Amino acid sequence: MLIGDLAATSGLTTKTIRFYEQTGLLPEPPRTPGGYRDYPERTTQRLAFIRDAQGAGLTLAEIRSVLALRDAGASPCTHVTALIDQHLADIDRRLTELRQTRTVLRALAERAAATDPAECRDTEICRILAGTNSERHY
């Protein structure tokens, strides 16, 4: 299958397909006598997998590691489970940080509402933000 046909079938651009090939997500395809890339039909399945894995939040490096295991004949299930667990832990940590940031921002919004700009001094940069680092409890 020529790259244009693969792009149309997969919904990706030819540039993306070439990029995936350059970064090792796709093996280099055989070439036609005219020098054009001639991708096997199974490449569409691999591209769909890459898209699904990206949708789940995996990085291209992580996807490459999963594909390398499969290409070597190993089942990547244990590896994928570990990646998912790691991503869930990262999201939980970020959610905690976001909740803490929201709390700080709400306090700042209250401070801003109660601040009279006429009372600001030239020696202060911004009374609303002053001292906020000491209020964070990360």
Side-chain angles (χ1 to χ4, degrees), residues 108-123:
L108 288 173
E110 290 175 16
R111 184 187 293 181
T115 299
D116 181 359
E119 294 178 8
C120 290
R121 294 175 285 216
D122 290 344
T123 58

Side-chain angles (χ1 to χ4, degrees), residues 35-109:
Y36 294 103
R37 291 172 171 86
D38 188 17
Y39 292 93
E41 292 292 326
R42 67 183 177 275
T43 307
T44 56
Q45 179 184 6
R46 191 172 182 111
L47 290 173
F49 170 79
I50 293 168
R51 183 181 299 179
D52 291 344
Q54 283 181 305
L58 272 62
T59 66
L60 293 181
E62 291 168 335
I63 295 167
R64 189 178 311 106
S65 69
V66 172
L67 291 169
L69 286 169
R70 176 51 72 197
D71 291 345
S75 172
C77 294
T78 302
H79 181 61
V80 169
T81 300
L83 290 173
I84 290 169
D85 290 344
Q86 178 183 350
H87 279 265
L88 283 171
D90 290 344
I91 288 171
D92 288 341
R93 179 188 47 77
R94 283 188 279 165
L95 285 171
T96 298
E97 290 172 358
L98 286 170
R99 280 191 286 278
Q100 292 170 342
T101 300
R102 181 181 57 201
T103 299
V104 170
L105 288 172
R106 283 185 176 155
L108 288 173

